[in-house]
Each structure stands twice: as structure tokens, then as C-alpha cells.
Amino acid sequence: SLCGALPEHVAIRQANSAKKKLNTLRVKTDVKPIVADPKPVSPGSFVCIWAEGDNVFLGADSLGARGKPSETVGEEAAKKMVQEVRSGAHLDRHTGDHMILPASLAEGSSVFRTSLITLHTLTAIEIAKVFTDAKFKVDGREGEAGTIRVEGIGFRNKG
């Protein structure tokens, strides 16, 4: 939880709210409220949460806004993380999108489960097909969790 050009209690309240919601997962949480240093020109806050494990990379966040209670910011980020974890996926929706290109260039097969197949995911696949001739199989539909299988082209750097 981070805030800048705002009182320290904003970051603390956001962090405590996120931790309270994350406790529903019954996992170890490490919460760190941080005040930006040096002080930024304009005020702002956010909460960024990530979970790491064996082949698991999940993230969630929420931005503060004028008039938005600090507790809401923390709870929003934590609710997103709870959804990510409960999806049973290896990767969150954004990390899954970013794996499309490297998987298409890699040698052999890559398989991963993403918490949400987004339009961005499907667009990245179509673009990767055009540029790499990689083969993709998507098990799932847009707006749902899904598994993506990629037969990469085995690109090798000539350097």
C-alpha cells in the first residue's frame, strides 16, 4: 500500500483493509504501508498485491481517487486477488496476456492456465500467429478462466 503527498494513515488504512479481506484465503500475508519519498507533486495512492508460488504468478491492484475511502482501495485490490487465487490459474489475466509472445517464440510446447481470457489475450494470440506462425489452442472462452497451449517456433538469437 503506497501513498504520496497524503497522510501516512492513508497507506496504513488501505493495507489493513486489504489484509482483512485477504485473511479469507487463510494464507500468510505480508503487508507493508509505504509513504512515497521523495514526496510527489500531486497526491495519490494505490494497493498492489501479488502471490507467488510454484509456477504461480498472480497480481491485483486498486487505485485511490479523491473521495474514495482508503478502506475501499484496499478491499478492491484484495477482492481481485481472492478472485485470481480462486480461479485456480497459474497466471493472472495480465501476466497471461504477456506470456503469449514469449511462448510463441519458445522451442516446444508451453501450457498455462490464465484466470481470465480477455479480448487482449485473444488479440495477442492473433498477432503472434501473424508474426511467428506459432500454433495455439485455447480451452475456454473470453470472460472465463482458460488454458492456453502454444507450439512455439523455436526462435534462436543469431548473436
Side-chain angles (χ1 to χ4, degrees):
S1 174
L2 176 86
C3 72
L6 292 168
E8 182 179 10
H9 71 83
V10 171
I12 293 168
R13 289 171 41 217
Q14 287 177 163
N16 289 339
S17 177
K19 185 173 184 170
K20 181 178 175 184
K21 183 67 179 174
L22 289 173
N23 284 339
T24 63
L25 293 174
R26 294 186 173 93
V27 295
K28 179 183 172 261
T29 57
D30 184 18
V31 177
K32 296 179 183 174
I34 301 169
V35 176
D37 185 30
K39 185 177 175 179
V41 175
S42 61
S45 71
F46 70 92
V47 172
C48 179
I49 302 171
W50 62 91
E52 298 176 12
D54 293 337
N55 297 314
V56 173
F57 302 96
L58 302 172
D61 59 20
S62 180
L63 290 173
R66 185 178 303 232
K68 184 177 186 180
S70 301
E71 292 76 14
T72 302
V73 178
E75 187 175 336
E76 282 177 357
K79 280 182 179 179
K80 288 178 185 178
M81 179 54 74
V82 169
Q83 289 175 334
E84 295 289 348
V85 170
R86 290 188 176 154
S87 75
H90 301 109
L91 305 173
D92 65 67
R93 64 191 73 189
H94 305 294
T95 305
D97 293 349
H98 293 286
M99 289 304 297
I100 300 300
L101 183 58
S104 69
L105 295 173
E107 187 172 352
S109 298
S110 299
V111 180
F112 57 90
R113 184 162 176 79
T114 183
S115 64
L116 190 69
I117 297 172
T118 65
L119 181 57
H120 191 266
T121 308
L122 299 173
T123 301
I125 288 170
E126 292 305 313
I127 291 170
K129 285 179 184 177
V130 168
F131 285 103
T132 68
D133 291 327
K135 306 294 183 231
F136 291 85
K137 182 172 188 315
V138 178
D139 295 323
R141 296 188 315 232
E142 183 181 349
E144 299 176 351
T147 301
I148 299 172
R149 292 172 170 74
V150 186
E151 282 298 323
I153 63 169
F155 177 77
R156 300 233 184 246
N157 194 344
K158 295 179 184 180

